[in-house]
Amino acid sequence: MTQFVQRKPAYPFVIFVSRRWGWCVWLVCLVCSLNVSAGGFAKQKTAVTQSTVETQFTVEQTGDVEPGDVEQRDAIRRGWEVLTELPLLPGDFSQEVIDDIWRSWPPEARAKAAQASLEERQRLIYQRYGLSPRPTLRVESSETGDLVARFDLDESVLRKGNQPNYPGPPMQYVVDEDGQWTMNCLSCHGGSVYGVPTPGAPNNRYALQTLTEEVRSTKFRMGKPLGRMELGSMVIPLGTTNGTTNAVVFGMGLMHYRDANLNVVQRTPVSFTHHDMDAPPWWHFHKRPYLYIDGFAQKGHRGLMQFTLVPENGPDFYRDNEDHFRDVFAFLSALRPPKYEGPIDEDLAETGRHLFNDNCSRCHGTYGAGGDYPNQMVPIDEIGTDPVRFEALTVAGRQTYADSWFARDAKGVRQETLVDPEGYVAPPLDGVWASPPYFHNGSVPTLWHVLHPEDRPQLWRRVDESMDEERVGFKIELAEKVPLTQPDVQVRRSYFDTSRVGKSAKGHDYPNELTEPEKQAVLEYLKTL
């Protein structure tokens, strides 16, 4: 039985300035996921009573089971429940709002929803905003003896006839007993792998900006008060392309108004550069010693709490809730990528493995028995990918984190923080076939395009949920320009324009050293990871 402590939300504000537009605006404490994140809130100016997730699990034992294994299994399961069942943030909207949101859609989409059954309408709502069913966690031992998280989704739940069927709360939101929907960090880090809901996969369909705008319209129409997301999104972009978010800026803005002990302080507003990021796969977490694309923050459970810095959460909240995030840490550490289930040319893949090890492993590591991940940082001038993310997070911003409670362990020992990194860290490639789009900004739709730098599209749009098996990634269509006359903003945001600030698909030109047959062999090998 799980018990939750529910608190009434408050809606304070944080000032910050947009460098690109020069506005001085009130950012209403936006909280979203970046790499690894979670949320929390408590009554302002009061001591925080720890929210608890009290869960009893029955562990099926066969043979001898070490006590540590039982404890670790329970920690993994509790971490999953913290993410999916514990509403730690002020609620975003009610069930009444989400049920009525279709009336705020553009004419064509609204007409389709009006004629649909209630079940079909729910499916349309999930599809429009990039929401997916919530699977059931199963903890099991891997071939190497590690405890890993697996997930089951009953076929009758996933599909009904030839159409997906989405009953119950989505993976990306906590829905409490009163029908209040609260964003969780699976909003960005819980997506689907070519239509199969998969915790830890980047949510490459999440339409946060569109959802927030249409929640705002619905609340206006229903006479309900606006929340932090609806107010903030009027001046601060939450994400200009479906599947990407402005999460780095949210984190920087929230951290700016804290001292080293996480007390809320008044400071002069500073400028930030808005830019979208593609959420990385969480199944890389167990390999990486540091967090973020520039690898500046040493991994630890306290760092997972960084994006909970709404002013309602005072310093006591973080001390009182460390155990929750130790469990979240255990859950993230247990995630592994799905296996490629399509046909693989084994001989070609073996050729690709040798080519990969000779040309790519210095940065991305080796795989299989005895594999190693080097955590290799590549200087920004060498990698040549979009530099906006690298430039947007300043030395001063990283130092603020380095001096904070987040960057100290439970004994108070300071962790290693790289306040002035040289560039981006090459990620592991486990499950790379399952995590399009590619590059830190999500600018490259397939692995074939990663291997063919000169052929990367300037303007593209995903057209199907299934995988392009030849190129391994999204099925896309090309366009000359975004159709600005299209009345549905959700459709307009489905186009990725690499000419926009922070969205370049250039760089990582190393594949040009390979011949075309060699590229095909490497592509085949990447399916096996």
Side-chain angles (χ1 to χ4, degrees):
M1 185 67 182
T2 303
Q3 298 178 345
F4 303 122
V5 177
Q6 187 79 20
R7 303 185 182 93
K8 293 182 180 179
Y11 303 98
F13 299 89
V14 173
I15 298 177
F16 79 59
V17 179
S18 165
R19 175 185 301 164
R20 294 293 172 191
W21 295 282
W23 299 330
C24 181
V25 300
W26 292 100
L27 172 62
V28 196
C29 291
L30 302 171
V31 179
C32 194
S33 303
L34 171 66
N35 289 348
V36 285
S37 61
F41 74 98
K43 269 192 174 180
Q44 194 171 12
K45 299 181 181 179
T46 63
V48 181
T49 302
Q50 181 180 2
S51 298
T52 59
V53 179
E54 300 173 353
T55 307
Q56 299 293 329
F57 293 112
T58 300
V59 180
E60 296 184 4
Q61 301 182 6
T62 55
D64 295 329
V65 179
E66 294 293 331
D69 285 350
V70 176
E71 294 172 4
Q72 185 69 5
R73 285 175 187 268
D74 287 353
I76 293 168
R77 288 165 169 151
R78 287 195 305 268
W80 170 246
E81 289 211 351
V82 168
L83 295 176
T84 58
E85 297 188 27
L86 189 58
L88 294 168
L89 287 172
D92 292 293
F93 44 82
S94 66
Q95 186 68 47
E96 183 182 10
V97 169
I98 198 68
D99 286 344
D100 205 61
I101 197 169
W102 63 274
R103 300 182 191 275
S104 298
W105 293 356
E108 183 176 349
R110 185 169 66 248
K112 184 176 181 180
Q115 297 172 4
S117 65
L118 291 177
E119 183 178 313
E120 172 69 7
R121 190 178 298 155
Q122 185 183 39
R123 182 181 69 82
L124 293 173
I125 291 170
Y126 273 42
Q127 286 186 330
R128 181 170 180 84
Y129 302 122
L131 308 181
S132 55
R134 183 182 301 172
T136 300
L137 172 67
R138 170 169 45 89
V139 182
E140 63 183 29
S141 296
S142 69
E143 295 177 354
T144 60
D146 297 327
L147 290 177
V148 297
R150 306 296 189 196
F151 299 92
D152 299 310
L153 191 65
D154 190 280
E155 187 70 14
S156 65
V157 173
L158 178 61
R159 304 192 68 82
K160 185 173 183 179
N162 293 322
Q163 296 295 327
N165 180 32
Y166 302 138
M171 177 174 27
Q172 295 81 9
Y173 281 79
V174 175
V175 183
D176 66 19
E177 294 179 355
D178 296 326
Q180 192 70 22
W181 286 48
T182 304
M183 179 192 299
N184 63 30
C185 46
L186 290 158
S187 294
C188 295
H189 294 277
S192 69
V193 175
Y194 305 111
V196 178
T198 307
N203 191 355
N204 48 45
R205 294 181 57 251
Y206 192 35
L208 177 59
Q209 182 76 32
T210 302
L211 171 60
T212 304
E213 289 171 353
E214 292 175 353
V215 165
R216 180 172 64 238
S217 176
T218 303
K219 286 184 175 181
F220 267 129
R221 179 163 39 78
M222 300 178 74
K224 294 182 177 294
L226 301 183
R228 70 197 188 284
M229 299 294 286
E230 298 89 63
L231 292 169
S233 64
M234 290 191 286
V235 285
I236 303 301
L238 306 183
T240 57
T241 304
N242 297 341
T244 61
T245 63
N246 191 20
V248 176
V249 169
F250 307 159
M252 290 190 294
L254 293 168
M255 194 70 204
H256 179 69
Y257 293 94
R258 297 283 177 144
D259 66 14
N261 293 317
L262 306 186
N263 296 297
V264 177
V265 295
Q266 299 299 318
R267 288 192 173 129
T268 303
V270 294
S271 62
F272 299 117
T273 301
H274 298 303
H275 59 286
D276 289 352
M277 288 283 293
D278 177 47
W282 263 354
W283 53 67
H284 290 168
F285 185 82
H286 76 285
K287 279 192 171 183
R288 302 192 66 170
Y290 289 81
L291 305 178
Y292 307 114
I293 187 64
D294 54 7
F296 86 91
Q298 186 176 343
K299 186 169 68 175
H301 71 273
R302 288 186 175 183
L304 307 186
M305 307 172 79
Q306 181 186 356
F307 285 79
T308 70
L309 287 169
V310 292
E312 298 95 327
N313 286 344
D316 288 344
F317 170 85
Y318 296 94
R319 280 78 174 172
D320 292 343
N321 284 277
E322 277 198 81
D323 283 346
H324 283 338
F325 292 91
R326 288 187 175 96
D327 291 337
V328 171
F329 188 100
F331 170 74
L332 298 182
S333 301
L335 290 172
R336 298 293 185 272
K339 296 294 184 182
Y340 185 83
E341 297 182 353
I344 295 177
D345 184 326
E346 298 293 346
D347 291 338
L348 186 61
E350 179 62 15
T351 299
R353 183 178 69 84
H354 290 289
L355 288 165
F356 180 92
N357 289 342
D358 290 342
N359 294 275
C360 313
S361 62
R362 180 179 68 87
C363 293
H364 291 290
T366 55
Y367 301 85
D372 177 66
Y373 172 61
N375 194 52
Q376 180 69 39
M377 180 174 293
V378 184
I380 191 67
D381 292 337
E382 177 185 334
I383 188 67
T385 50
D386 194 294
V388 172
R389 162 64 177 83
F390 175 75
E391 297 166 352
L393 189 51
T394 64
V395 171
R398 293 187 181 95
Q399 188 64 55
T400 298
Y401 176 87
D403 294 336
S404 75
W405 179 85
F406 294 128
R408 297 180 183 273
D409 65 19
K411 296 181 180 180
V413 177
R414 179 174 292 191
Q415 295 181 327
E416 292 186 27
T417 305
L418 303 177
V419 298
D420 192 14
E422 296 181 312
Y424 297 136
V425 175
L429 297 184
D430 306 76
V432 66
W433 65 273
S435 59
Y438 301 103
F439 290 5
H440 67 277
N441 57 4
S443 59
V444 182
T446 74
L447 288 176
W448 185 92
H449 288 105
V450 172
L451 294 169
H452 294 79
E454 305 305 320
D455 294 313
R456 293 170 191 161
Q458 177 175 325
L459 183 61
W460 57 271
R461 177 193 179 204
R462 186 182 185 182
V463 296
D464 196 286
E465 188 93 17
S466 60
M467 180 175 65
D468 183 332
E469 295 185 3
E470 180 179 353
R471 295 188 170 187
V472 188
F474 289 160
K475 290 182 178 179
I476 65 169
E477 65 179 10
L478 306 183
E480 294 183 358
K481 60 181 180 179
V482 177
L484 299 179
T485 57
Q486 162 61 247
D488 193 337
V489 67
Q490 194 271 351
V491 175
R492 298 201 301 271
R493 290 182 180 134
S494 67
Y495 288 85
F496 197 106
D497 186 352
T498 62
S499 68
R500 298 184 64 177
V501 173
K503 292 182 174 290
S504 171
K506 295 181 180 179
H508 193 274
D509 296 331
Y510 311 112
N512 284 338
E513 299 176 5
L514 302 175
T515 66
E516 184 59 31
E518 289 173 334
K519 291 179 182 181
Q520 290 299 321
V522 170
L523 181 63
E524 196 71 9
Y525 173 64
L526 293 176
K527 298 176 185 178
T528 71
L529 301 184

